[in-house]
Each structure stands twice: as C-alpha cells, then as structure tokens.
Amino acid sequence: MRSEQIAVKRFDKLSRLAECVPVVEPDFSRQSLDVPMNANWIVTAQALVVSFLWMLSSASAQDRPSSEAAEAPAFKTVNIVLYNSTTEFGDRSPSVDVMAAFIKKVQARAAKLWSDTEREKGQSGLIAVAIRPNGSMKLWVDIEQEHQPKLSEQLEEKMRDIGVPPVNDGPVAFALNFHLWGGPADPVDGVESVKLPQAWVRAASEVEEELKVPDEILPLVWKRLPPGSVVQTKEMFVPDGFILEELKPIGGSILRPEDWTFKQQHRKNTFMWTISKEDLEDGSYETGMRIQFVAGIKKLTGQTAQEFIAGFMKDKAKSSKVIRKCPEEKQGVFTRVCLLTEKTSDGEKPSFRILYSCFWSDDLDMACLSIAGTTPEQWKTYESTFDTMAKFKLLDMDKIEAQRKR
C-alpha cells in the first residue's frame, strides 16, 4: 500500500475518533502549496495541507457540565489544518488515538477562554499548535487574522497540566480554525481557508528565501519569542485510560493501559519488558506486548543491527501468514519496520495475530523487537491499544546520564 494511502486511512480514523464527518481526502497529484504572504517572500509547504471537517463542539459532553452540554457554545471548531503533509505528520506523531485525544483537550481548554464571556458579534479565528521533538510546545491564538498574545498566554496556562505528545524527527504543527458566536456574517464558502498565524508571518517576513512549513519557519518564530513564553515541558501527554510507564534502566517510556500488568526482566546486553492484559505471574498471556532491547549486536551475532533485524523479519514471514508490511520509518535514532502476521493453531494451541515492530541503529549497534499480539477474534478490539503503545520512546539520554551520576 502506498504511504499516501496509509496516511489517508490514518486521518480518516482520526476524524472518526473525533466524532466528526469523514476526512477530506487530499489530491496527491499536487506536490506543494504556495501561500503568498507579501511581495517579498513565499512560504512553501512541502506536500499537502489537509483540512479535516469537525462537526463537534469545542468540548465533548464529558468535559462540560450536563447543564452546559445542551447550550450552543461560544467556541466551535470548524476544521483542522495540518502544516505537515499527512505522511510526515503521521510518521512524526504518536498514534492517531493519542493525537485525537490531545486535540480534544486543546478544544476543551480553548472553549473555556470564552465560556463565561457575554455574546459578541460572530468572529473567526485560529489556534496554531507547534510541537518539537525536544518536548517544547507553543500555541498562538489569532482572531480575524490578528494575533492575540494575552489569549495565547491564557491558553498555554490552561494547557500546562496536559503534557506534550512525543514527536520524532522534526516538528509537527496544526491549526484549529474556529468560529465564535456562530462565526462572521459572511463566512468563506466551504472550509476555512488555509492561513498561517500572524506571528509566523512576521517572523518569515525577515527573510527573502522560501521556507518549508513547519520545519524552517519554526526556528525563526522561536527566536522571536520573549523569554518564558514557550511551554517547555518533558511531561508526556497521557490520554485517559493510560499511564506512562518508564522502561528502566535505559530511560525510555511507554503508554500502557492502566489496568494491564507490567513486568521487566533483564540480562547482560538484553533488556525485556512485558505489558499484558492478563496477570503475568506464571509468565504466560494471551493479549499483550513484549519489548526486547539488545545492545552490542555486532559482537553477539557478527551482523549489523540492520542485518540482524532483516533476518528476523524474514524468518517470521516464512513461518507465518503475512497480512501486511509497513515501510521503513524513522523513530528517533532508530529505523522501524513492521510485519503483521497470523499463525494458525497447532493442536490445542489457539491461533494468534502478531504485529512485529523492529528497530535498529547501526550507529549505536542496537536493535529492538516489539511483539504485540492477541487472538484473531480479539485483534480489532485491541488494535488501537497496540497502536498507542507502539510509539514508545526507547532511549532518554538525559535520564541515563542522570542515573550514571548517582
């Protein structure tokens, strides 16, 4: 399956999780989108900017008192615009479930900015969100294409206890186009037009060359920020129903269902963590994930880490029915490939559907195997859970260094 098709499926799922109408599929024949800002420069987004129509209010019913749920909210999201291509956004972001949950939190907290204000004339605006791999996040609120610094600061303050979704290999950025009090009297036909926040426009106006959105424009924006205005946090966003489990001793972390069990077993050169729906007291389980991390592959096997992973995946493809493969993608300092298989029952043993996610880094001479599985009948039930856990963080060099100094 082409990566573009996979991306469309991901974001169709995102729209469904957000309780909105189906995603607007992009025209992948286009290669870029030029957004002219003034006569001196042009911002170029490499690939498409995709809009998602959202037909829900700014916060779900469980985020508001029941007495308020029936009232028409002042704030309503019209659509969401990605400033990355769909493929890039998906590769850099955590799972669709996590991003959908995070976007709902942004909507709910944004709605509170206007929850106690008197009705005014209808307006339109946007909330731009940029997240970088170092754990920093910044939000910008524009109304009628004018930056609102006080509202931006208030929204950031409301978001401080939410945490930041982890992203890899570059920033992700998106905007929520919204209406206040029903929107302007003469709204733009169709979806809201693609706009950049005015703070980005001003930052980019200082240079003459074309800039890639968001990768090349964000460093300019960050330089213009006054001290203390950026939400700097290492706390990861944790969706409801999950907790953040540390993968000791290498400083990694994984989102695991709060009612699932966790066990770690380590040997020389090899670390292993197991998360399962069943109790792990006897070591067996039917539904769960096991992560095995191996250092010093070359010395142990005589192969590079990539060769070791390629051999492992080849063996699994031979011994099981292959349902799908996924292409290579970067995930931090590692490269990831995956293989979804099904192994038929043997005698009294049940059949299992297993997703093998394998990572390697030849530079670090390390490999990691992630094995997530359950019975074929239960796969659909737990597939999104496995997707959420699959974007775990394997190494945190800051934590490792802190442990070394103790």
Side-chain angles (χ1 to χ4, degrees), residues 151-369:
L151 285 175
S152 301
E153 291 174 6
Q154 291 172 11
L155 182 55
E156 286 184 342
E157 186 61 35
K158 290 182 179 296
M159 291 292 294
R160 284 189 184 276
D161 65 333
I162 298 299
V164 180
V167 302
N168 295 299
D169 301 313
V172 300
F174 61 90
L176 281 68
N177 285 316
F178 64 86
H179 282 170
L180 295 175
W181 301 288
D186 298 313
V188 177
D189 291 338
V191 300
E192 295 290 299
S193 57
V194 175
K195 299 184 183 73
L196 296 178
Q198 290 302 303
W200 296 20
V201 174
R202 287 194 290 271
S205 65
E206 298 173 357
V207 299
E208 298 268 334
E209 68 268 19
E210 292 183 350
L211 301 168
K212 181 183 177 184
V213 179
D215 294 45
E216 294 175 347
I217 195 171
L218 286 179
L220 299 178
V221 176
W222 246 256
K223 287 180 182 179
R224 291 173 55 95
L225 295 174
S229 65
V230 181
V231 177
Q232 293 277 358
T233 177
K234 288 294 183 181
E235 293 298 318
M236 186 186 296
F237 170 69
V238 180
D240 294 341
F242 287 81
I243 65 172
L244 189 62
E245 191 76 64
E246 184 176 355
L247 301 179
K248 298 178 180 179
I250 59 175
S253 55
I254 186 171
L255 292 170
R256 74 164 174 89
E258 59 187 2
D259 57 347
W260 287 26
T261 59
F262 176 77
K263 186 176 182 180
Q264 52 188 356
Q265 297 169 294
H266 306 319
R267 302 189 303 272
K268 184 179 180 180
N269 295 100
T270 303
F271 303 105
M272 187 170 72
W273 307 268
T274 306
I275 297 171
S276 70
K277 181 176 178 291
E278 295 83 19
D279 193 336
L280 281 167
E281 189 161 344
D282 64 354
S284 63
Y285 59 93
E286 184 177 80
T287 301
M289 173 185 283
R290 175 165 289 163
I291 302 170
Q292 293 175 269
F293 173 79
V294 185
I297 294 290
K298 189 74 173 178
K299 184 177 180 180
L300 290 171
T301 67
Q303 300 174 302
T304 66
Q306 184 176 6
E307 290 170 342
F308 172 76
I309 291 299
F312 176 86
M313 296 289 272
K314 185 177 180 180
D315 290 343
K316 294 303 176 185
K318 283 182 178 180
S319 61
S320 306
K321 174 186 175 183
V322 176
I323 298 174
R324 67 173 170 86
K325 299 179 181 179
C326 65
E328 293 182 7
E329 67 174 19
K330 293 294 293 181
Q331 194 162 322
V333 298
F334 293 88
T335 301
R336 175 183 181 263
V337 293
C338 77
L339 188 70
L340 181 62
T341 68
E342 191 165 304
K343 197 161 188 175
T344 56
S345 60
D346 180 15
E348 297 181 357
K349 294 181 180 179
S351 299
F352 279 96
R353 184 166 294 184
I354 300 174
L355 176 64
Y356 296 97
S357 297
C358 298
F359 309 76
W360 76 83
S361 171
D362 288 331
D363 292 338
L364 299 177
D365 192 24
M366 296 175 178
C368 179
L369 311 175

Side-chain angles (χ1 to χ4, degrees), residues 27-66:
D27 175 7
F28 284 103
S29 64
R30 292 184 58 191
Q31 295 302 309
S32 65
L33 175 73
D34 294 333
V35 187
M37 296 300 164
N38 58 40
N40 297 323
W41 60 276
I42 291 178
V43 173
T44 303
Q46 303 299 321
L48 296 171
V49 177
V50 181
S51 296
F52 297 98
L53 300 180
W54 287 55
M55 302 301 289
L56 67 155
S57 64
S58 57
S60 58
Q62 62 264 31
D63 291 323
R64 289 176 285 141
S66 57

